[in-house]
Structures are given as structure tokens and as C-alpha cells.
């Protein structure tokens, strides 16, 4: 994918920064590389020769990284099989707080293919909630480059189970095609 808006892509199409988003991997041994589509396509032709086909998927991996599938020669798989490839529903929990005997959740969820979701399902030790994300989230639409995702936010409160030290939470996004994407799953410890 391209570098952040405040960074110009060099004419070469290759931009490396000594930046690490992982505290355990220092910038002296780890970095971030951004490349243009033209750079990738040129690199594929160089590696495979002129007889190369590729398919590009924007922000496919973790809704952040572009993915290319390439094949060379007539013996490679037919890339047209990927024409109907669906990326499915995705989302993120931005806030997960316990206060006054309640669990407060805030985040976003959407179908990367269709925009809106059919529903978001939240399973907790105290019950089940189904809702349709519809709160404003212009930042999601901007980052993912899809204006349909501008109202994919959600927030809700759930009662914390009495007399339990931990409770299990599952948040799942379900598309209109009944595809399911896991947004969050895990044990939550009671706040003491």
C-alpha cells in the first residue's frame, strides 16, 4: 500500500521507513515498506519474465496490507477464478471498559465487499445481543478508502455477570451473504 498521506512516494515506487509498530521489535531491526502498484508489477515481470499474470487485492490482509497473486506461464492457475473473491466482514473493538457493573463496548464492523452488515452478534456470559452497526465512523471510511463504511460504528452496554471473576466475550460480524467474521473473542477478567 502507499505511504501515509504526509509522505511522498519516491519516483522509484519503493519507500522504506525505520518505523516499528511493535514495541518488541526496534526500528533498528524492523521497518515498514510501501511500494506502488507499478513497482510490484515491474518486479513481477523482472522475476518471472514477460509471461506473468497477477491479481491485486487492495488492503486484503488485516484490512491494511495489499496482496498480489501472481502466476507465470500457461501452466499456472487461472487467475480469473479470483474475480468473485470476497473479503468478508471485518471489524475492531476500540473500547472495552468495565464500569458500574457494566461492560461498555465501542467499535466498528462492516462487510468489506458490501458495505453494511446484516448484523453484529455479541455473546457474553450474561446474554446475547444482535445489532446493526450504524453509528458514524468517518475515519474507517477514510482509512479503508470506502465511503460506504462511514456509518459502520457501534456501541453497547452489557451487564457484568454477578459473582464471576471472568466472563467470555465473542463479537462476530455477519454479512448479507451470511459470511461470518470474528471481531473479538476472549476471557475478560473482572475489574477489581
Amino acid at each position: 500500500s502507499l505511504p501515509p498521506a504526509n509522505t511522498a512516494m519516491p519516483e522509484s515506487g519503493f519507500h522504506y521507513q525505520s518505523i516499528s509498530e511493535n514495541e518488541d521489535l526496534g526500528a533498528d531491526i524492523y521497518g515498514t515498506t510501501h511500494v506502488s502498484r507499478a513497482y510490484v508489477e515491474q518486479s513481477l515481470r523482472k522475476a518471472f519474465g514477460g509471461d506473468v499474470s497477477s491479481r491485486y487485492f487492495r488492503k486484503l490482509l488485516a484490512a491494511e496490507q495489499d496482496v498480489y497473486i501472481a502466476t507465470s506461464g500457461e501452466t499456472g492457475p487461472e487467475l480469473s477464478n479470483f474475480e468473485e473473491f470476497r473479503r468478508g466482514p471485518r471489524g475492531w473493538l476500540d473500547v472495552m471498559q468495565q464500569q458500574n457493573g457494566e461492560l461498555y463496548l465501542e467499535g466498528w464492523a462492516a462487510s468489506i465487499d458490501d458495505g453494511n452488515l446484516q448484523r453484529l452478534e455479541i455473546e457474553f456470559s450474561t446474554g446475547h445481543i444482535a445489532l446493526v452497526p450504524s453509528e458514524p465512523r468517518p475515519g474507517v471510511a477514510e482509512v479503508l478508502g470506502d465511503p460506504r463504511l462511514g456509518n459502520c460504528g457501534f456501541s453497547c452496554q452489557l451487564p457484568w455477570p454477578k459473582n464471576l471473576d471472568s466472563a467470555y466475550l465473542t463479537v462476530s460480524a455477519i454479512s448479507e451473504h451470511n459470511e461470518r467474521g470474528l471481531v473479538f473473542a476472549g476471557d475478560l477478567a473482572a475489574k477489581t
Side-chain angles (χ1 to χ4, degrees):
S1 65
L2 297 176
N6 61 348
T7 306
M9 176 62 81
E11 201 173 299
S12 68
F14 182 92
H15 183 263
Y16 175 80
Q17 294 176 291
S18 295
I19 298 173
S20 177
E21 72 279 1
N22 184 330
E23 292 178 12
D24 295 331
L25 294 173
D28 58 327
I29 62 166
Y30 183 80
T32 300
T33 302
H34 298 277
V35 294
S36 68
R37 258 183 102 169
Y39 178 87
V40 172
E41 290 168 359
Q42 178 185 21
S43 297
L44 289 171
R45 284 191 301 276
K46 187 176 178 181
F48 293 107
D51 191 17
V52 63
S53 298
S54 66
R55 178 89 174 137
Y56 167 72
F57 298 93
R58 185 177 180 275
K59 295 190 177 193
L60 176 66
L61 187 61
E64 294 179 6
Q65 297 178 2
D66 299 341
V67 171
Y68 290 83
I69 298 174
T71 185
S72 178
E74 294 180 18
T75 60
E78 178 58 47
L79 294 181
S80 64
N81 294 331
F82 292 101
E83 293 297 323
E84 299 299 320
F85 181 80
R86 294 185 53 84
R87 295 177 290 168
R90 302 221 174 113
W92 191 260
L93 273 181
D94 297 312
V95 177
M96 194 169 21
Q97 295 176 337
Q98 295 176 49
Q99 54 193 35
N100 303 323
E102 301 263 321
L103 175 63
Y104 174 75
L105 303 175
E106 186 176 306
W108 69 272
S111 168
I112 302 302
D113 305 298
D114 307 317
N116 296 328
L117 287 180
Q118 180 181 20
R119 70 187 179 282
L120 185 75
E121 292 182 354
I122 301 170
E123 302 274 346
F124 194 52
S125 295
T126 54
H128 172 91
I129 291 177
L131 57 90
V132 177
S134 59
E135 296 174 12
R137 289 303 296 265
V140 173
E142 182 182 333
V143 168
L144 295 180
D146 188 341
R148 298 174 306 162
L149 307 183
N151 290 310
C152 65
F154 68 89
S155 60
C156 65
Q157 287 183 257
L158 303 152
W160 187 267
K162 296 191 185 308
N163 304 321
L164 286 182
D165 292 335
S166 67
Y168 199 78
L169 173 68
T170 305
V171 180
S172 300
I174 294 92
S175 76
E176 293 174 359
H177 294 276
N178 213 29
E179 300 154 324
R180 183 176 291 264
L182 184 63
V183 176
F184 179 87
D187 263 325
L188 305 179
K191 188 175 181 180
T192 54

